[in-house]
């Protein structure tokens, strides 16, 4: 069953813009604000809340479909001895605990305010939960849960979120096939909602030569096209991409991912790509987002329909460029047509050449001149 057909069987489908668009085969762009609003607040000398809201508004104005934050407390996320795994020339902090401690000030009340602001603007809100407490308080604010690549093997936590009974986005960075299969099977055993698997490379930033976008094709073939991973109602597996490359001029990375089958794309978002620290250096800004969406819209224009039929726009060319049966000599009324009397030439406005064997042996009902395009009414 196609994802669109499955969606149409549901009563009203979902409140989630992400899932509804993806099920309909429409591209979805998610701005991963994460905790970048901390640096934006410093840059513009405004409060954290005002900075977060400013980024949401800029995302909405750029045409982005959803914004995503990260909900955690450093003490529940990383041990104090956790080393860095990012480019320390861009983000010099060498301890995960110390870095996360800088960006863990928001809690339930703040995310509720951001959720309400998103609703007012008409852009979907979600946040990746990194502990049980945030998974619980975010439940009433989100229509879809996001699992970080870092938690793919955290099966108890994945199952806890899956049992919330909502669609799920699951990043599969730094994972092997058996791990993806195991996690997906666990989620499917607890949840009958649509699931999106997001190709991801845990390298910040990801060099273009490491983007490994062909993995999107493998995910599509191994999971999205395998009915074993759909629930009894045919709930689909969707494919997406969580991107950590630096934005390229023509948005070729994202456009290639989309052409390979990634209908949902998540990318870090900033208002200033020159800012040091955290996730600004590989993030898209509003202009990048507009460029991505413009490129995807052009691709959709090029893609057109899947129908195997003549296009309306081809009708004139079809008629004039194809051939008809044409006489090679003058033929009198009552003559029996023989192969030597006939050939085929453009335009295709007469009897088509495919009927040549049916025409041979028939009788002319009228006189015709050489080079006449035969019409059915000329024959008896």
């Amino acid at each position: 069953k196609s994802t669109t057909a499955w969606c149409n069987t549901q009563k009203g489908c979902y409140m989630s813009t992400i899932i509804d668009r993806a099920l309909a085969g429409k591209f979805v762009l998610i701005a991963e604000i994460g905790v970048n609003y901390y640096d934006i607040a410093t840059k513009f000398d405004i409060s954290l809340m005002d900075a977060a809201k400013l980024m949401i508004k800029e995302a909405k104005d750029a045409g982005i479909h959803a914004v995503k934050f990260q909900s955690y407390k450093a003490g529940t996320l990383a041990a104090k001895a956790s080393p860095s795994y990012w480019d320390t020339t861009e983000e010099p902090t060498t301890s995960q605990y110390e870095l996360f401690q800088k960006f863990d000030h928001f809690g339930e009340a703040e995310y509720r305010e951001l959720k309400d602001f998103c609703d007012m603007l008409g852009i979907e809100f979600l946040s990746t939960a990194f502990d049980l407490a945030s998974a619980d308080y975010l439940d009433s604010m989100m229509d879809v849960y996001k699992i970080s690549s870092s938690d793919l093997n955290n099966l108890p936590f994945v199952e806890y979120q899956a049992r919330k009974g909502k669609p799920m986005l699951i990043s599969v960075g730094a994972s092997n096939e058996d791990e993806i299969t195991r996690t997906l099977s666990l989620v499917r055993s607890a949840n009958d909602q649509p699931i999106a698997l997001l190709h991801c490379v845990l390298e910040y930033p990801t060099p273009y030569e490491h983007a490994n976008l062909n993995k999107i094709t493998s995910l599509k073939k191994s999971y999205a096209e395998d009915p074993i991973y759909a629930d009894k109602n045919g709930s689909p597996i969707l494919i997406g991409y969580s991107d950590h490359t630096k934005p390229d001029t023509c948005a070729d990375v994202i456009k290639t991912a989309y052409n390979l089958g990634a209908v949902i794309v998540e990318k870090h978002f900033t208002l200033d790509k020159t800012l040091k620290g955290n996730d600004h250096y590989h993030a898209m800004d509003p202009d990048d987002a507009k460029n991505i969406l413009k490129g995807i819209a052009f691709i959709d224009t090029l893609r057109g329909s899947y129908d195997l039929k003549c296009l309306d726009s081809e009708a004139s060319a079809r008629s004039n460029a194809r051939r008809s049966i044409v006489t090679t000599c003058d033929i009198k009324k009552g003559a029996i047509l023989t192969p030597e009397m006939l050939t085929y030439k453009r335009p295709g406005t007469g009897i088509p050449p495919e009927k040549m064997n049916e025409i041979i042996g028939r009788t002319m009902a009228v006189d015709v001149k050489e080079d006449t395009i035969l019409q059915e009414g000329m024959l008896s």
Side-chain angles (χ1 to χ4, degrees), residues 128-377:
T128 302
F130 284 95
D131 52 44
L132 297 177
S134 58
D136 284 341
Y137 71 65
L138 287 168
D139 189 20
S140 64
M141 306 179 199
M142 306 191 307
D143 296 305
V144 58
Y145 272 85
K146 169 66 194 297
I147 303 296
S148 164
S149 293
S150 61
D151 275 324
L152 188 80
N153 72 333
N154 189 353
L155 298 184
F157 188 42
V158 171
E159 183 177 15
Y160 186 82
Q161 295 178 85
R163 292 197 177 280
K164 300 290 187 182
K166 295 181 178 179
M168 301 186 74
L169 312 179
I170 304 173
S171 285
V172 297
S175 61
N176 298 318
E177 184 174 6
D178 61 322
E179 295 174 310
I180 298 170
T181 299
R182 181 180 61 186
T183 301
L184 180 57
S185 297
L186 172 68
V187 171
R188 183 51 80 217
S189 70
N191 187 316
D192 65 358
Q193 300 301 299
I195 298 168
L197 296 177
L198 274 57
H199 167 50
C200 176
V201 178
L202 289 192
E203 192 174 359
Y204 302 83
T206 302
Y208 297 129
E209 62 270 23
H210 293 180
N212 199 34
L213 295 180
N214 279 335
K215 189 173 178 180
I216 293 168
T217 302
S218 299
L219 288 171
K220 185 177 180 180
K221 181 178 180 180
S222 296
Y223 300 106
E225 296 176 357
D226 190 339
I228 194 172
Y229 295 107
D231 81 324
K232 61 184 178 181
N233 294 317
S235 178
I237 303 296
L238 301 160
I239 301 301
Y241 175 47
S242 182
D243 180 43
H244 296 134
T245 64
K246 290 185 176 181
D248 59 287
T249 303
C250 297
D252 287 335
V253 174
I254 303 301
K255 290 190 290 188
T256 300
Y258 179 58
N259 276 329
L260 290 172
V263 70
I264 300 170
V265 169
E266 170 189 87
K267 188 166 180 62
H268 285 271
F269 183 67
T270 184
L271 302 185
D272 185 351
K273 292 185 289 186
T274 67
L275 288 175
K276 287 286 187 181
N278 211 48
D279 293 318
H280 301 282
Y281 54 92
H282 56 85
M284 63 179 174
D285 63 16
D287 287 338
D288 293 319
K290 291 174 185 176
N291 191 35
I292 290 168
L293 292 168
K294 181 179 179 181
I296 296 297
F298 182 56
I299 288 173
D300 284 339
T301 299
L302 296 175
R303 284 184 172 185
S305 169
Y306 287 98
D307 296 335
L308 296 175
K309 66 178 185 179
C310 175
L311 300 175
D312 292 342
S313 60
E314 296 176 299
S316 177
R318 174 188 170 99
S319 176
N320 287 290
R322 288 194 171 190
R323 303 198 200 192
S324 301
I325 298 175
V326 176
T327 60
T328 60
C329 57
D330 295 346
I331 306 174
K332 295 293 185 179
K333 176 181 178 180
I336 305 298
L337 293 174
T338 63
E340 294 77 16
M341 297 177 178
L342 306 172
T343 187
Y344 29 83
K345 297 181 180 181
R346 295 182 180 187
T349 54
I351 299 172
E354 64 199 56
K355 293 188 176 182
M356 181 70 84
N357 290 338
E358 301 173 24
I359 298 303
I360 293 172
R362 289 183 66 179
T363 303
M364 290 301 303
V366 296
D367 293 342
V368 296
K369 296 290 187 179
E370 177 189 351
D371 208 37
T372 297
I373 300 169
L374 285 184
Q375 305 294 334
E376 187 61 38

Side-chain angles (χ1 to χ4, degrees), residues 91-103:
E91 169 50 68
T93 309
T94 58
S95 159
Q96 291 185 54
Y97 176 81
E98 290 178 9
L99 179 69
F100 297 142
Q101 202 172 36
K102 296 178 183 178
F103 306 116

Side-chain angles (χ1 to χ4, degrees), residues 32-34 37 52 56 67-70 111 114 125-128:
E32 165 70 285
I33 293 175
Y37 57 93
I56 293 170
V67 292
K68 189 176 78 67
F69 293 86
Q70 296 175 4
Y111 288 117
L114 293 179
F125 166 89
L126 66 156
S127 185
T128 302

Side-chain angles (χ1 to χ4, degrees), residues 33-69:
I33 293 175
V35 293
N36 276 349
Y37 57 93
Y38 281 77
D39 298 317
I40 297 301
T42 300
K43 173 182 171 67
F44 291 109
D45 192 23
I46 56 179
S47 71
L48 291 177
M49 182 58 69
D50 285 344
K53 288 181 177 179
L54 174 63
M55 295 187 74
I56 293 170
K57 184 180 183 304
E58 290 287 341
K60 171 64 178 177
D61 290 346
I64 292 169
H65 306 107
V67 292
K68 189 176 78 67
F69 293 86

